[in-house]
Amino acid sequence: MGRNIVLLAVILMLSGCGTGKFRKSEVIFSDTYYLEDADNMEFVFSDDSTLTVRQKGIYELAESEEGEAVVRICLDDISRELPEDYNFTEYLIREADTHITLTFTTEEFNLDANPMLLFFSGGEDGLLSGEYFDGTYQIGEENASYLYMFEKDGSITMRVNERYYADRQGNMTLSDHAGSTRYLYEAAADTLIIKNMKEEAILNLKKEPESD
């Protein structure tokens, strides 16, 4: 479960704070990168100054021992051959008037006061159906930057929509609906390292391998 939370935290780390302005990046990236040691997490930089982060995994819909609907999400390494090695995080699903709440079922995380809010945004509203489905949910209120995308084949993608601004002095700003956050970066032929303002590396990214 720990790795799921760590990778989710990496995505949410990119969210802004305060008011930000979207502007055309001085330095343009037009490549797909993967988080080091996590090939299921991709960062797609486009020449229009947008950044799309996708973390791919699998999900299961089931019931708890009390008969309540739960969803189990694995955003870990899903290339393992044995399903029992998959690292699932389980959430209790509850329906409200305008949204669905997801709450951790384990006492290891004391987050009951702040469940994840999901707002249906397209496809099939199937989280409570008990079956695999094609549907998209917005994560958070009035927030189109973060999405859960469920598919009938049992796969799930968490998608984050950002904008980036990079200058030639090694500064980068990442922005979304919530605002913007400043970083430092180092770009090489096949890698992109994003650092905090203390020059500590927080994301080590590698380019998508070339196909044979």
Side-chain angles (χ1 to χ4, degrees):
M1 179 182 300
R3 187 167 174 80
N4 280 358
I5 303 303
V6 169
L7 293 185
L8 177 60
V10 167
I11 284 185
L12 297 181
M13 184 196 317
L14 299 177
S15 61
C17 55
T19 302
K21 289 185 177 180
F22 298 153
R23 51 181 173 161
K24 181 77 171 180
S25 182
E26 180 181 346
V27 176
I28 296 297
F29 297 95
S30 186
D31 293 291
T32 298
Y33 293 85
Y34 290 91
L35 184 65
E36 189 175 33
D37 298 325
D39 287 347
N40 66 319
M41 191 170 180
E42 63 181 20
F43 295 71
V44 182
F45 289 83
S46 300
D47 55 12
D48 62 356
S49 301
T50 59
L51 166 61
T52 302
V53 184
R54 297 186 183 94
Q55 186 176 357
K56 301 178 181 180
I58 55 178
Y59 74 99
E60 297 177 347
L61 296 174
E63 288 188 354
S64 68
E65 294 181 356
E66 291 75 23
E68 294 189 272
V70 297
V71 59
R72 301 186 182 108
I73 297 175
C74 173
L75 294 174
D76 200 348
D77 180 3
I78 57 172
S79 63
R80 299 185 177 95
E81 294 183 4
L82 300 177
E84 56 265 31
D85 290 336
Y86 294 160
N87 193 8
F88 284 94
T89 299
E90 186 178 273
Y91 302 89
L92 181 67
I93 307 171
R94 286 184 176 150
E95 190 172 23
D97 291 339
T98 60
H99 60 274
I100 286 175
T101 63
L102 298 186
T103 305
F104 285 110
T105 60
T106 174
E107 295 179 358
E108 181 181 352
F109 298 94
N110 186 20
L111 298 179
D112 288 354
N114 295 292
M116 190 185 306
L117 305 185
L118 298 187
F119 294 81
F120 174 66
S121 64
E124 180 185 355
D125 186 5
L127 257 182
L128 290 167
S129 68
E131 300 179 354
Y132 292 131
F133 67 102
D134 290 324
T136 301
Y137 292 83
Q138 174 181 297
I139 304 172
E141 199 167 5
E142 298 181 358
N143 167 9
S145 296
Y146 314 104
L147 299 171
Y148 267 141
M149 306 170 71
F150 295 85
E151 297 187 35
K152 277 188 177 179
D153 64 1
S155 63
I156 182 173
T157 300
M158 182 180 181
R159 192 180 79 189
V160 178
N161 300 316
E162 300 269 335
R163 292 186 65 90
Y164 71 92
Y165 177 84
D167 64 25
R168 301 187 189 282
Q169 288 72 48
N171 299 293
M172 179 180 288
T173 300
L174 298 180
S175 307
D176 61 16
H177 74 285
S180 60
T181 304
R182 293 176 58 206
Y183 299 95
L184 304 173
Y185 77 93
E186 292 181 6
D190 297 315
T191 61
L192 176 63
I193 301 174
I194 298 178
K195 303 179 179 181
N196 60 25
M197 299 308 292
K198 296 180 180 179
E199 300 189 6
E200 300 166 333
I202 58 173
L203 292 176
N204 289 288
L205 307 179
K206 59 180 182 179
K207 275 189 182 178
E208 181 178 12
E210 294 184 1
S211 57
D212 295 332

